Structures are given as C-alpha cells and as structure tokens.
Amino acid sequence: MSGDLSHSEDQVDCGSRYNDSHKHKDKYKDKEHKHKDHKKDKEREKSKHGNSEHRDPSDKKHRDKEKEKVKHKDGSTDKYKDKHKEKRKEEKMKSLDGKIKKEKENGFASPHVKSEPEDNFYPSPKHEKPLKRKRDDDNDAEFKPKKIKTENDKKAKKRKLDESFFGFLSFENIKPKKTKNKKGEVADGKKKAKKEPEEKWKWWEEERYTDGSKWRFLEHKGPVFAPPYEPLPSNVKFYYDGKHMKLSPEAEEVATFFAKMLDHEYTTKDIFRKNFFKDWKKEMTSEEKSKITDLKKCDFNEMSEYFKAQSEARKAMTKEEKLKIKEQNERTLQEYGFCIMDNHRERIANFRIEPPGLFRGRGDHPKMGMLKRRIRPQDIIVNCSKDSKHPEPPPGSRWKEVRHDNKVTWLVSWTENIQGSIKYIMLNPSSRIKGEKDWQKYETARRLKKCVDRIRNQYREDWKSKEMRIRQRAVALYFIDKLALRAGNEKEEGETADTVGCCSLRVEHIKLHPENEGQEYVVEFDFLGKDSIRYYNKVPVEKRVFKNLQLFMENKEPDDDLFDRLNTSVLNKHLQELMDGLTAKVFRTYNASFTLQQQLKELTNADENIPAKILSYNRANRAVAILCNHQRAPPKTFEKSMQNLQAKIDAKRDQLSDAKRELKSSKADAKVRRDEKSKKAVESKKKAVQRIEEQLMKLEVQATDREENKQIALGTSKLNYLDPRISVAWCKKWGIPVEKIYNKTQREKFAWAIDMADDDYEF
DNA sequence: AGTGCAACTTAGCACCGGCGCG
DNA sequence: CGCGCCGGTGCTAAGTTGCACT
C-alpha cells in the first residue's frame, strides 16, 4: 500500500507554499535579557492560511451517521488533548474580542545550567543502562551488529585494522578520496599506492561502542564568534520624524538589522514590526526610548542604502582581495572547523556561532521580528574530553561551563533566546558519529520491511477495535504508513506557527467525500506541515477507515483534534511494542527507500543511454519527494531558464537538420565521385549527425527533468530518506558513475554506502 | 499520564563561486 | 574575458524522540 503512488499527481499540482523564510546575519550588541516567562497568555493568530476556507460545515453532515457503540467507551480518556482544545478555543474568543495579542517576553536568560560537575569523566546520569548493550548505544540492539555482519562480513575482515590509529594525521576528511569499493580497486591501482597516506578512514569497518558512549577522546578549539558590531560611519544617518538622530551603538546595531531587511515583505507585517519595535526599545537608552515611540516615523533608508553599497563594493573587490579573504576563511576552517575525536580528525558542521539579528520563523510565526541576541563566551557550554587541550575562551572572557560528557555528540552548546531552545555545534555528516547513526537508521527501516505486513494486518484489525483509542491509533498509523505523514507532536501555542502532523491533525484539516471524481471514500487533506509547507492531497481510503473518520469527527468543532485519544508518545509506545526501535518516522524512511528501489526497477530501461537512465533515477527520486511532500518554491528564474533551454533545443534542432542536409549531399557527392576522400567525408558527417542527435536528446531530457522538478525538491529525500546503498547499487548495476548521482559532499556523507554496497544490494 | 527538556534529524532558502557561454 | 546561470554550501528553523521528573 505504501509504495503506491497513485495519489501523487494531486499532491504535486496542488501543493503550494505559504512560507517565505529567510535569514539574517548580522551583529548586535547583547544586553540583558528577560526570563522566559512561559505560560504567558498566548493568542494564536487567526489562521491566515488557506485552512480557514476548509472549515466546511458540511462535515457535520456525517456526524449522525454510524453512531457507534464503541465510541467513548472508555470515557476515561477524553483528556489527552482537551487542554489544548480549551486553549485554542479560549484564544479564539479572545481574538474575537478584538484583543490584541499580548506580547511575550523576549528574553530567556534562564541558563538551564546543567549542574553536572565537570569532573566526572563519563558522567551522564541518564544513560546508565546502555551498558548492557553489546553493540550499539541506543535501541536496535540486535540489528546493528547483525547488519554489520551481514553487510560487511566478507570484505570487512580483509581490510580491517589497516588504518585507524593515526588516521587523523591524514586529513581523511577533506578529500573524498576515492574510496575503493569492492571492485573499486580497479579504479586506480597504482595511484592508490601513492596516495595511500591519504586513504580515508573506514569507520564502518570498525567496532562500535557498546556502552552508550559516543567517544573516548574529544578535542577542539571551541566556536568562532560573530564579529563584533562596527558602528556606522557618521555620514550614514538615521532619521526620526524627519529629523536626524544619532543612536547609541546598541540601538543602532538593532536598527541596522531592520534596515538590512527593508526590502523584505515581512518588514511590513504587523507582528514583525511589533516584535521588532518592542525588542528594539529594550536596547535604547531612556532618552531614545522616550523620543522614538512610533516605528512608522523611523527612516532607515540611509542605512539600507549604505549596506547595499557595501555589498556592491564587496562584489567589486579585486581578485587579490577576494583571494585574501578566501585564504583567511580557509585558515579559520583549518583551525576551528575540525576536531579530533578518537584519533581521527573530523570535520565540524557549524563551528560558527549564529550571529545576532532579527528572528524570522517560517510561515506565520508569532515571534517573527524578535531580536536574536548576540551569543557571548559566557553563554557557551563546551564539551570535550578531560584529557584534551581545552578550548580557550576569548581573552578576558570565560565559558559558562566546560563539561566532559561523552554520552553526547556535541562540542559546544548555548541557549537561544527566542524559543529558549538549545543550539549545538556538532560534527559534519561525513563523520563517523553521524554516519553510524545514519546507517543504523536505514537498518531499522530494513527491519521494518521484514515485518511491515504483520504490522499492516494488525492495524487493519484495529480499525474494528471496540476501543476508540485503538481505532484512532490504527487510522493514524495507516496515514503515516500510506501517506508518509510525520508523527505530529503537539506544540505550544503562540510559540510557533500553527502547523500539524498526523497525530495533531484537526477536524478542519480533512474533508470526507463519500464519492469524489468517480472514486469512493475519498479523504481530502489540506493542512500546513513542517516549515508551513502545505500538504494537499485527495486519497481514496478503505471504507472502514472512512467510517472511522466520520466517527472521530462526530460532534467536534473544526478546531478540535481529529485523534483526540492519541498523541505521538502513545503512538510510539505502541510502535515500540510492534518492533524494537520502531517509531513513526521509520515509516517515512522505509516507504521512501522502498519506493525508490521499486521505482528504479520499474523505470530503468536497460537499453537506454546514461542520460536517459539518470532521468529515470531522478524520476524515481521524484516519486519519493512527492510521497514525502518535499516541495520548493519554483525557482525565481524558472521561466526564464526554461526558455533559455528551449532556445538551445531549437538551435540544436536546426543544427541537426543542417547536419543532415550536409550528410545527404556528401552522400550524393560520394556516389558520384566514388573516391576515398568523399567516403571519409560521409563518415565524418554521419558522426556529426550522431553527435548532434545525442546532444539534442540530452537537452531534451534535461528539459523534461527540469520541468518535472519545478516544484519538487529532490535534495531532502536524497539526503535524509533514501538508503544510499540503493543508489550505489543501481549505479554499479548500470555502470553509471556515482558522481552523476551524488555530488562531492554527498559522496562524503555516503562514503560508507559507496564502499560497501554491491550491485545486488537489496534494501 | 502529562510536562518539559535535551539531543539529534530533517528542512527549505539565500547566497556565492565557478563554469560555460557568447 | 565578462556575464549570467546553476549547483553546491551554509545557515538555522522546525521537526521527532526518549527520558526524567512530578
């Protein structure tokens, strides 16, 4: 059922997005911040999205149908979500009252200090138990080992242990040095010998920790901080109410954040402006505060112009200047961009601290425009091993804490002030620690493959259960499986944009059509999911599911939870019982990978040439992206670039007919002359025609590919959902260079798969 | 059971640099 | 040899999950 893509089209066409996100990089002088005062009254903004139009009263029609004896039989549980419901309703009322949204404090100074004494070497109180595990840390106790064995065994043994120890001396991480794959040795036998010292570390051939620890040794240089604020030159002025006003450096910095965004639409949005203005005032001197009382009277234009000029100037820099900067960046990278973890030099993903700026959440975010404060050394927690050379805080400052917790993978963390969440500096996807986890993820998905039939039968049975909560669980699971929906945690209102996943679907997000376009029992989904990306889909479902949905919706308001007896924790607990390590997201991984494999089988045509095969690959990839609803805004230049391509195709066509004509005439010529020379001419013309035909085809394929990709993003699924061994195996099977499928970074991330998968790999 | 936190994965977009084209 | 385009990369927001605590 899940690999089925019958519903794909709708998704693609109808998908549309509501989010315009973006970022900012800036600086700002920090200040004291308020405490997170949660539980502030929150008011969710009336949903501005398309959803509202879907609150269709007709839903009520279904209410009286099929009253079930079952319903609420376990009266005990109405609670799960009631609380939220209440809130939402309350808020609705409030907003109806025309009240203005109450603001929340910006601050979040609250340290959440872990009072871990920095002295225990392997602290981490929480994970005491994993010690028993033989193989890997978390779940999947058995699988990992097994997998490893099955997958590796053969080759693993032979080249075990060759490197590792001083691997970090070799910079293995930088170059995706061709890893020899099984047969790979072929690749460059002799060269290999030379490059041997650069041989990449094959962590996947080594033992893993079995005690829950993530490393034994960890050394790094700490984070790179955002550059300090540089005040504007005095000729760049700020005007309030038409009059020049010199701002204090603190206030000025925050003003520049706004100035830099002037061109963006969201500086016109009420919430954004309100949040910004409020936080800005906190940075002002009392004098400034009393003068500047209306954002509308602020004129940031000179600042804005100044920054535009700056960026022009940057573009116009000479080669030498640019080179210098590049070199400096490279030095920074070499110094801060790597760490040493267990004898290997590994690349760090994000070693720069996020610069201050104005927060812009995605979608309709209640906190957009708030000030993201500058992070200082005293906000930073450093994690490294006790026996390593500890990173030095910048002169005159100190770290908030240095700890030595080898049960976690992060090197640096700090608490961010917008949501109060923790941010981390961690390793690159090419690192052992990320790679192992990634591998493990696919192994879990493969285990699901083995028992998915059983699970599906089970939830189909559960549709008939007498217990409401079981039915809900079963229907939700069906959606997660069939439609690859996300789990859908509940979220705190007023803290984030109003988005949902499976368990948090509300009545207003689906419509039931007993009959639609010739199909029976159609469910129409329309909601905003992660990142406020719209999910729109019409799916025919089984009658029993349909009836259940009618039941679930009975006597509910549009903004009531569809699955009121279910949440992600209940669901995952259940899944855990069905299979060790099973959680909702495993279904996404499983269905994505399974679909890729099956689509590749179906679409790849042995007779076609490489570009055509790659098109097939992309189509298979696309099927997955559609399943997972990975959309993107059509590139701004889409139309134009499509036209360009079309022009090229036309030109190529002309060229082809010219070439054909020439071929013809040279043939005629050869017939008359019958000499060697003219024969040769014919041959070369023939070749020319062939070459052009090939080029033309390539262009046409490219055009198709691009057109089909207009609103679909392939990257996310490729990077996060598709077992790379499937792709590698496909490449090997059809003699396609992996470079055509994976770029350099991707090859680094998937080095393990490239090395270990054979052409007969089966997901 | 419910809540909140910590850790880690997944996500789309802006921007930039290198490359192919005229 | 400059210019536009495109892919790759960096950035950081927004999810999921597990667990401790109450």
Side-chain angles (χ1 to χ4, degrees):
Chain A
M1 66 186 17
S2 38
D4 110 27
L5 300 163
S6 48
H7 51 279
S8 310
E9 280 83 336
D10 319 2
Q11 278 178 321
V12 187
D13 292 345
C14 306
S16 73
R17 48 204 34 247
Y18 285 87
N19 69 320
D20 46 316
S21 90
H22 85 200
K23 22 228 73 169
H24 23 241
K25 24 175 102 208
D26 289 325
K27 7 355 219 324
Y28 141 76
K29 194 78 161 272
D30 59 283
K31 279 263 139 166
E32 110 301 338
H33 278 269
K34 296 301 164 33
H35 265 273
K36 147 190 203 166
D37 55 342
H38 345 249
K39 297 339 162 27
K40 258 286 174 51
D41 21 353
K42 31 206 83 179
E43 225 155 284
R44 84 120 86 105
E45 332 209 349
K46 256 0 285 182
S47 61
K48 30 279 157 179
H49 302 305
N51 331 30
S52 43
E53 83 229 31
H54 304 297
R55 300 204 181 137
D56 184 343
S58 68
D59 287 336
K60 308 218 151 121
K61 282 188 219 144
H62 307 302
R63 286 203 179 153
D64 347 68
K65 295 196 179 167
E66 244 229 58
K67 284 257 139 90
E68 300 230 2
K69 19 357 185 147
V70 204
K71 104 174 283 194
H72 295 193
K73 106 167 217 155
D74 47 340
S76 55
T77 39
D78 266 312
K79 33 205 164 165
Y80 271 144
K81 315 196 162 173
D82 282 0
K83 179 159 174 197
H84 282 273
K85 255 181 270 173
E86 286 313 314
K87 252 193 236 160
R88 204 174 289 120
K89 278 179 190 155
E90 235 167 72
E91 278 142 23
K92 224 186 213 167
M93 300 303 287
K94 279 194 215 161
S95 52
L96 287 179
D97 281 345
K99 284 222 192 132
I100 302 177
K101 178 173 180 94
K102 286 244 190 85
E103 1 102 9
K104 330 198 65 170
E105 287 305 325
N106 163 20
F108 254 108
S110 69
H112 304 270
V113 191
K114 256 298 194 338
S115 44
E116 204 79 87
E118 42 172 41
D119 264 39
N120 28 346
F121 193 13
Y122 295 140
S124 181
K126 347 186 156 182
H127 317 274
E128 237 42 286
K129 58 273 214 78
L131 291 181
K132 50 186 167 188
R133 284 283 165 63
K134 197 17 202 179
R135 266 324 127 89
D136 197 331
D137 38 327
D138 3 25
N139 46 24
D140 300 300
E142 78 283 20
F143 95 72
K144 197 87 176 252
K146 256 168 216 152
K147 253 21 188 190
I148 295 190
K149 288 220 171 108
T150 45
E151 275 334 299
N152 282 348
D153 252 4
K154 3 183 186 175
K155 31 200 159 172
K157 315 211 153 150
K158 29 174 141 135
R159 33 192 155 152
K160 197 125 190 176
L161 308 176
D162 29 4
E163 42 351 35
S164 86
F165 246 77
F166 296 97
F168 67 97
L169 293 177
S170 60
F171 286 56
E172 71 280 352
N173 24 7
I174 306 179
K175 288 273 104 73
K177 232 232 82 143
K178 247 283 86 34
T179 47
K180 51 182 173 188
N181 29 38
K182 250 245 220 339
K183 344 187 138 175
E185 290 129 20
V186 183
D188 40 5
K190 48 190 75 174
K191 273 200 220 151
K192 215 173 49 188
K194 278 188 207 160
K195 294 190 182 167
E196 202 72 65
E198 278 182 37
E199 189 71 13
K200 286 183 84 174
W201 173 39
K202 297 188 177 176
W203 51 259
W204 50 94
E205 292 176 353
E206 295 192 15
E207 298 288 319
R208 260 159 292 194
Y209 292 124
T210 57
D211 59 354
S213 60
K214 306 291 166 75
W215 44 263
R216 289 280 120 94
F217 180 82
L218 173 61
E219 179 171 293
H220 58 91
K221 298 270 302 194
V224 172
F225 288 91
Y229 178 64
E230 289 179 26
L232 295 170
S234 56
N235 62 326
V236 180
K237 296 180 186 125
F238 166 76
Y239 300 91
Y240 184 71
D241 209 6
K243 287 183 287 269
H244 169 228
M245 191 172 163
K246 174 75 186 160
L247 296 172
S248 64
E250 290 78 12
E252 183 188 270
E253 182 180 17
V254 180
T256 64
F257 297 154
F258 194 83
K260 284 177 184 173
M261 303 174 125
L262 233 41
D263 292 336
H264 261 107
E265 192 213 340
Y266 46 73
T267 53
T268 64
K269 293 194 178 174
D270 266 8
I271 312 178
F272 188 96
R273 297 174 66 89
K274 202 182 331 163
N275 287 335
F276 162 73
F277 196 50
K278 182 175 170 228
D279 282 0
W280 186 27
K281 281 200 276 192
K282 292 183 202 155
E283 305 302 317
M284 294 179 189
T285 62
S286 51
E287 196 189 348
E288 286 165 339
K289 224 176 291 184
S290 64
K291 268 195 194 153
I292 303 176
T293 54
D294 184 357
L295 183 54
K296 284 202 291 284
K297 294 181 179 168
C298 294
D299 177 357
F300 301 96
N301 280 310
E302 274 191 23
M303 294 184 182
S304 175
E305 290 308 316
Y306 171 73
F307 292 121
K308 278 181 207 160
Q310 292 267 295
S311 88
E312 285 310 309
R314 227 171 303 127
K315 273 183 219 152
M317 282 186 312
T318 65
K319 270 196 207 110
E320 295 74 47
E321 291 170 312
K322 282 184 178 169
L323 188 64
K324 224 181 205 166
I325 293 178
K326 205 174 161 188
E327 280 168 356
Q328 181 53 49
N329 283 150
E330 178 60 23
R331 274 196 297 278
T332 311
L333 173 67
Q334 290 303 326
E335 183 171 5
Y336 291 94
F338 294 84
C339 71
I340 293 187
M341 184 177 276
D342 294 353
N343 291 327
H344 294 274
R345 186 167 182 260
E346 303 240 54
R347 183 89 136 78
I348 297 170
N350 55 322
F351 55 91
R352 287 173 205 277
I353 300 274
E354 297 173 17
L358 302 184
F359 176 81
R360 168 58 181 167
R362 305 192 182 153
D364 255 312
H365 198 117
K367 300 194 168 187
M368 65 170 85
M370 283 176 54
L371 177 62
K372 213 170 92 156
R373 67 170 230 281
R374 176 179 294 271
I375 304 302
R376 306 151 302 173
Q378 61 265 41
D379 301 314
I380 296 291
I381 301 175
V382 165
N383 192 33
C384 61
S385 54
K386 220 173 172 184
D387 58 344
S388 73
K389 197 164 150 252
H390 296 196
E392 289 293 332
S397 64
R398 39 189 295 267
W399 304 123
K400 173 174 171 180
E401 183 191 337
V402 176
R403 69 172 74 157
H404 311 290
D405 181 356
N406 79 335
K407 299 289 195 288
V408 297
T409 66
W410 52 268
L411 320 184
V412 165
S413 74
W414 71 93
T415 301
E416 152 266 0
N417 68 300
I418 304 287
Q419 327 263 2
S421 62
I422 307 174
K423 302 269 192 165
Y424 304 93
I425 291 183
M426 292 182 183
L427 297 195
N428 198 69
S430 63
S431 62
R432 180 212 106 223
I433 213 152
K434 293 292 184 187
E436 276 179 0
K437 201 77 188 296
D438 205 38
W439 181 12
Q440 172 184 314
K441 173 182 76 187
Y442 292 112
E443 291 309 322
T444 308
R446 293 175 87 198
R447 281 191 296 123
L448 172 57
K449 186 186 180 200
K450 289 186 198 142
C451 62
V452 73
D453 289 336
R454 186 191 93 221
I455 290 172
R456 285 172 178 162
N457 288 335
Q458 155 106 241
Y459 68 61
R460 299 169 62 86
E461 271 309 300
D462 288 347
W463 292 340
K464 299 182 254 177
S465 168
K466 287 202 274 297
E467 282 189 78
M468 187 60 138
R469 58 177 192 94
I470 298 201
R471 289 184 176 223
Q472 291 194 353
R473 196 178 69 192
V475 170
L477 185 50
Y478 169 73
F479 285 162
I480 285 174
D481 182 20
K482 183 184 173 73
L483 305 175
L485 300 190
R486 296 187 184 83
N489 284 303
E490 46 249 89
K491 314 163 74 186
E492 225 186 313
E493 304 202 15
E495 298 290 304
T496 62
D498 177 24
T499 62
V500 299
C502 186
C503 294
S504 49
L505 281 170
R506 285 179 243 130
V507 170
E508 62 197 337
H509 295 134
I510 66 170
K511 270 195 217 168
L512 303 181
H513 304 284
E515 165 99 49
N516 185 278
E517 290 157 18
Q519 291 176 307
E520 285 192 305
Y521 308 121
V522 172
V523 183
E524 181 179 352
F525 291 83
D526 192 349
F527 61 88
L528 298 183
K530 181 175 177 179
D531 293 327
S532 293
I533 296 290
R534 185 184 185 199
Y535 182 92
Y536 182 86
N537 199 3
K538 279 184 185 175
V539 213
V541 301
E542 310 206 20
K543 179 172 178 185
R544 229 180 266 284
V545 169
F546 196 83
K547 295 291 175 193
N548 269 313
L549 289 171
Q550 288 177 329
L551 173 65
F552 303 159
M553 290 163 78
E554 258 173 37
N555 300 315
K556 284 188 190 167
E557 297 297 317
D559 62 350
D560 286 338
D561 286 306
L562 177 63
F563 302 116
D564 52 302
R565 312 295 179 89
L566 184 69
N567 63 31
T568 54
S569 135
V570 168
L571 178 66
N572 279 333
K573 222 166 272 166
H574 175 240
L575 292 176
Q576 189 59 240
E577 284 163 15
L578 297 179
M579 184 193 102
D580 182 42
L582 187 60
T583 63
K585 85 189 186 92
V586 178
F587 281 89
R588 257 168 97 81
T589 312
Y590 158 70
N591 281 127
S593 289
F594 182 81
T595 301
L596 177 76
Q597 183 169 81
Q598 170 243 330
Q599 289 284 299
L600 281 178
K601 255 179 213 157
E602 202 172 307
L603 299 175
T604 312
N605 184 341
D607 307 327
E608 288 179 325
N609 59 15
I610 293 192
K613 286 207 179 83
I614 290 172
L615 175 62
S616 299
Y617 179 90
N618 287 340
R619 283 184 163 151
N621 191 163
R622 197 139 48 230
V624 175
I626 289 166
L627 177 70
C628 295
N629 200 40
H630 291 143
Q631 299 187 37
R632 62 166 183 176
K636 290 190 193 81
T637 54
F638 186 83
E639 290 309 325
K640 198 163 64 160
S641 88
M642 215 55 205
Q643 277 170 11
N644 288 162
L645 192 55
Q646 195 53 51
K648 266 194 207 167
I649 291 176
D650 293 343
K652 199 50 88 178
R653 286 226 171 88
D654 292 346
Q655 200 188 334
L656 181 63
S657 52
D658 286 351
K660 278 184 174 161
R661 203 174 321 114
E662 281 180 39
L663 172 62
K664 226 179 192 171
S665 75
S666 74
K667 266 185 184 162
D669 192 43
K671 229 175 198 167
V672 181
R673 299 216 203 173
R674 306 189 157 276
D675 60 356
E676 269 312 300
K677 199 174 165 194
S678 53
K679 254 191 212 160
K680 274 212 179 114
V682 172
E683 279 314 303
S684 77
K685 297 284 178 202
K686 243 186 210 162
K687 286 228 176 82
V689 168
Q690 262 174 18
R691 204 181 56 235
I692 295 169
E693 271 174 342
E694 224 161 78
Q695 287 169 341
L696 176 62
M697 196 161 105
K698 219 169 156 179
L699 286 174
E700 281 172 334
V701 164
Q702 200 188 340
T704 318
D705 207 25
R706 195 181 295 176
E707 182 66 46
E708 290 177 357
N709 234 17
K710 183 172 179 180
Q711 300 189 282
I712 309 290
L714 301 187
T716 303
S717 48
K718 203 184 225 180
L719 233 48
N720 300 303
Y721 289 103
L722 302 177
D723 183 342
R725 291 166 296 183
I726 299 170
S727 303
V728 171
W730 180 84
C731 285
K732 288 186 179 165
K733 177 165 179 188
W734 301 108
I736 294 176
V738 261
E739 296 78 34
K740 301 273 186 189
I741 299 298
Y742 291 133
N743 68 30
K744 178 167 157 284
T745 353
Q746 293 164 341
R747 292 197 300 277
E748 281 168 17
K749 169 168 180 176
F750 298 134
W752 58 275
I754 294 172
D755 182 56
M756 72 171 70
D758 296 321
D759 60 359
D760 58 353
Y761 173 79
E762 272 272 334
F763 171 74

